[in-house]
Amino acid sequence: MKDVTIYTTKTCPFCYKAKSLLKKLDIHFKEISVDFNSELRADMASRAGKTSVPQIWFGDDHIGGCDDLHALHDAGNLLDALG
């Protein structure tokens, strides 16, 4: 199974929604908080091409944000994407 990484902030409701789904499915993830850390946020934006949170990766594959994660799940493809 690929490692899951999620960039978050403490005030983002979509971050909590994405993490809640991962926890519900018992998918372990590494959370990187970009609160008050411009270097981490710049790294995330460079990798994702976006500055919004959450930004989620399965291994080296950028999944996108919360809506993208839920779309994968709703289509029945989330666990397959984790390989």
Side-chain angles (χ1 to χ4, degrees):
M1 185 177 280
K2 296 178 183 176
D3 291 330
V4 177
T5 304
I6 179 170
Y7 286 79
T8 65
T9 63
K10 291 180 180 167
T11 58
C12 169
F14 297 103
C15 296
Y16 286 100
K17 186 177 177 183
K19 292 187 300 182
S20 177
L21 176 61
L22 293 171
K23 288 175 184 175
K24 176 182 159 189
L25 299 173
D26 200 29
I27 297 170
H28 300 281
F29 57 89
K30 175 182 177 185
E31 181 176 3
I32 300 173
S33 174
V34 296
D35 287 303
F36 310 112
N37 191 321
S38 58
E39 287 182 25
L40 284 176
R41 187 176 280 270
D43 179 55
M44 176 199 75
S46 174
R47 290 181 67 201
K50 299 178 181 182
T51 59
S52 61
V53 289
Q55 292 301 320
I56 305 163
W57 278 264
F58 292 174
D60 292 329
D61 300 324
H62 181 237
I63 299 308
C66 180
D67 291 342
D68 303 302
L69 179 69
H70 278 268
L72 268 175
H73 176 63
D74 292 344
N77 296 325
L78 187 119
L79 296 177
D80 288 339
L82 283 169

